[in-house]
Amino acid sequence: MPIPNPAAMEFLLTRRSRPAKILTAPVPSREELLPILTAAARVPDHGKLEPWRFLVLEKQALARLAALARRRGAEMGLEPERIEKGVLQLSEADLAVAVVRVPRPTVKVPEIEQILSAGATCLTLLNAALASGWGASWLTGWHVHDAEFCREGLGLGAGEWVAGLIHIGTETTTPPDRPRPDIAAITTWVSE
């Protein structure tokens, strides 16, 4: 017989991300962040390849990255509003964890499984932060999709890219819940 975990199920049924713009200090200390990162590393990982790694971006690093985003956006000729959105995502943050997808050459594990593992790491990191009482949000943006920004600002190597920036902090307000999917509309039962 299965042994249910009602508290975990209730968490999953009611969890919701917090918009990054409502997150502020205090943020988890390094000691408080370690179990969150440890939980995030316990994702499905076919072949035990660890096709991801973490970059913990603290306030000064985020300020440096915001300046780089402003410069790169201008060099790329992006619209000022688009540039500013990427800059503010970094400059207004107090802590973010970049989950970096790291390609692991192998004939046994398809690349897509490694990519999905990186995505699972992002979601588990987000949920572990929420379960620890912090507000958290999973974001990306034009800047983390720009190879030059990632190379210069984050030191990413060949083939590496950012699967997500998980912003973590103290929420200033509780946002309203959003509409959720209609399970009946997206579920097909296959019996034969």
Side-chain angles (χ1 to χ4, degrees), residues 127-157:
N127 282 337
L130 293 170
S132 297
W134 299 101
S137 184
W138 175 359
L139 300 175
T140 56
W142 66 265
H143 48 302
V144 297
H145 296 299
D146 174 44
E148 179 60 27
F149 174 90
C150 290
R151 186 195 60 72
E152 183 179 337
L154 301 172
L156 299 195

Side-chain angles (χ1 to χ4, degrees), residues 101-126:
R101 193 284 205 203
V102 180
R104 304 288 189 204
T106 176
V107 295
K108 292 177 115 181
V109 181
E111 179 183 23
I112 188 64
E113 290 187 20
Q114 296 182 46
I115 292 169
L116 292 170
S117 183
T121 303
C122 289
L123 180 59
T124 304
L125 177 58
L126 175 76

Side-chain angles (χ1 to χ4, degrees), residues 9-30:
M9 192 61 174
E10 179 64 18
F11 169 79
L12 292 171
L13 288 171
T14 59
R15 68 145 304 279
R16 61 182 177 192
S17 299
R18 287 2 190 218
K21 62 186 171 191
I22 71 161
L23 301 178
T24 188
V27 298
S29 66
R30 290 181 179 196

